[in-house]
Amino acid sequence: MNRLSNDDRAKILHLLCEGMSIRAITRLTGASKNTVSKLLIDAGKACAAYHDANVRDVKAARVQVDEIWSFTYAKQKNVASAKEAPEGAGDTWTWTALDADSKLIVSYLVGGRDAEYAMWFMDDLAARLANRVQLTSDGHRAYLEAVEGAFGADVDYAQLVKLYGNTIGAPGRYSPAECTGSKKIRREGSPDIAHVSTSYVERQNLTIRMHMRRFTRLTNAFSKKVENHAHAVALHMMYYNFVRIHKTLRVTPAMAAGVADRLWEIADIASLVEDAEAAPAKRGPYKKTRQD
């Protein structure tokens, strides 16, 4: 069986991280669609495992959280009539927690937008922080109970609730509502009202849409399986945190946060995949056979 070299893997992963579709990558590199898809899955698993193990004890002062929408297989309203819709089809939300100073993605989660996912997300975020932080979210009600359950009183938490009016210009399906104002609401502790903002994490949403083809609106590049969607998100988060130099900081977010001591390259992510393949499989319990 032919096996991609580490350089070939790095090239394909770089194209994925820069927002290129799988079919476009196959045309450029000559690799098959199945090869690119399998590499994405393997890289996603390796990146998720590395993030889980190493993005810990993050010292942050201000953390902003938000959710970004996408869909899997079909939009939620079309799932009932879709042919052979898989489990997980419909609306797919990506929760992100951003350190406002280092711009590090401290925690992320792919799934629904209900209270259960909010609790999982906040529990994971709380476990990765080394100190008390000021936390800001939007007005999503699921955050209230989730923050209370994960942090208790050990957080300075506020919500930025935006107020919307009529659509801008002629009404249509994609006309954005006009933001007429916002309210800053203290929820827990003593948050500094001057720093109650979700601007950085909302800007991160644009980075996600620019660097992952699956998030591009009005195309057929959407994910067909929610598992592959999660793998693509894990790869992007690794690339964003460890490889991509932030224009303002002039270092990667991981270096700015003290999580990494050097600048990573795409080849390092490819090496994570290679290391995962080389890792010995866990042996199960010994079972006596008839020959014994």
Side-chain angles (χ1 to χ4, degrees):
M1 181 180 66
N2 293 332
R3 186 170 179 269
L4 290 175
S5 67
N6 203 57
D7 289 341
D8 290 337
R9 287 179 172 179
K11 181 178 181 180
I12 292 173
L13 291 175
H14 205 169
L15 294 174
L16 285 170
C17 291
E18 290 296 338
M20 188 167 287
S21 68
I22 289 179
R23 291 186 184 276
I25 292 172
T26 64
R27 292 192 292 270
L28 280 177
T29 64
S32 70
K33 179 183 175 183
N34 289 340
T35 298
V36 177
S37 297
K38 185 180 184 304
L39 179 57
L40 171 63
I41 293 171
D42 293 342
K45 291 178 179 178
C47 290
Y50 189 90
H51 180 97
D52 183 58
N54 293 276
V55 183
R56 298 278 179 182
D57 296 325
V58 178
K59 296 178 180 179
R62 297 173 291 134
V63 174
Q64 301 176 8
V65 296
D66 198 18
E67 328 85 53
I68 178 173
W69 174 86
S70 59
F71 68 92
T72 300
Y73 193 80
K75 291 184 179 179
Q76 194 66 46
K77 64 180 180 179
N78 299 326
V79 171
S81 59
K83 182 180 179 181
E84 299 179 354
E87 183 179 357
D91 291 347
T92 306
W93 292 85
T94 302
W95 304 69
T96 55
L98 181 87
D99 177 4
D101 295 310
S102 69
K103 308 302 184 294
L104 178 79
I105 296 291
V106 182
S107 178
Y108 61 90
L109 178 66
V110 175
R113 197 172 179 249
D114 55 25
E116 186 175 20
Y117 275 97
M119 287 188 286
W120 287 340
F121 176 57
M122 280 298 148
D123 286 343
D124 183 72
L125 173 60
R128 298 183 186 279
L129 295 172
N131 54 280
R132 183 186 181 109
V133 300
Q134 174 166 327
L135 181 67
T136 305
S137 74
D138 58 19
H140 187 30
R141 297 180 64 88
Y143 282 117
L144 298 176
E145 184 178 351
V147 172
E148 176 67 25
F151 292 94
D154 191 26
V155 68
D156 299 311
Y157 173 47
Q159 283 187 311
L160 181 69
V161 181
K162 293 183 179 180
L163 309 175
Y164 294 95
N166 298 325
T167 58
I168 300 174
R173 287 195 301 166
Y174 306 108
S175 299
E178 181 182 5
C179 182
T180 59
S182 62
K183 295 189 299 182
K184 298 180 179 181
I185 305 175
R186 288 188 177 93
R187 294 298 188 185
E188 187 68 49
S190 303
D192 183 351
I193 293 298
H195 291 295
V196 174
S197 171
T198 56
S199 296
Y200 290 129
V201 73
E202 288 176 358
R203 175 59 181 82
Q204 167 62 19
N205 289 345
L206 175 61
T207 301
I208 287 176
R209 292 205 183 277
M210 294 293 289
H211 282 266
M212 275 187 282
R213 187 65 171 160
R214 297 162 189 268
F215 283 79
T216 306
R217 298 180 185 272
L218 305 180
T219 71
N220 62 355
F222 54 86
S223 297
K224 312 308 185 289
K225 296 180 181 179
V226 69
E227 295 85 359
N228 290 354
H229 189 86
H231 295 320
V233 170
L235 174 60
H236 167 77
M237 296 305 180
M238 190 73 187
Y239 174 76
Y240 170 82
N241 279 339
F242 289 87
V243 179
R244 181 177 179 271
I245 296 178
H246 193 278
K247 185 176 180 180
T248 303
L249 300 175
R250 298 181 182 275
V251 293
T252 63
M255 294 173 67
V259 175
D261 58 0
R262 65 180 179 87
L263 176 64
W264 279 50
E265 297 180 354
I266 288 290
D268 294 317
I269 297 181
S271 295
L272 292 180
V273 179
E274 188 174 11
D275 293 342
E277 290 176 344
K282 292 183 179 180
R283 294 184 178 182
Y286 172 75
K287 293 183 179 180
K288 188 174 182 180
T289 64
R290 184 172 296 179
Q291 286 78 6
D292 294 337

